[in-house]
Amino acid sequence: SFVKKWDLIMTAVLMAAAPIVVGFLFAQKHIIKGMVAGAVK
C-alpha cells in the first residue's frame, strides 16, 4: 500500500511558500505606495 508522509509534504510546501509570503508582505507597502502615486498623478 502507498503511504504518503503528509507531515513531510506539508513541511516542504510550507518551507517553499514561506519566502514568497514574506517577500510579498515586505513588498506590499511599496506596491500600494506605487499604486497610490500612480492614481494621484
Side-chain angles (χ1 to χ4, degrees):
S1 67
F2 239 88
V3 178
K4 286 196 172 71
K5 294 183 174 71
W6 284 109
D7 53 341
L8 293 177
I9 292 166
M10 291 308 289
T11 304
V13 168
L14 199 68
M15 286 177 72
I20 297 164
V21 172
V22 170
F24 175 74
L25 289 174
F26 275 111
Q28 207 171 16
K29 268 184 248 167
H30 299 289
I31 293 165
I32 292 166
K33 213 180 283 181
M35 282 169 60
V36 170
V40 169
K41 277 187 196 170

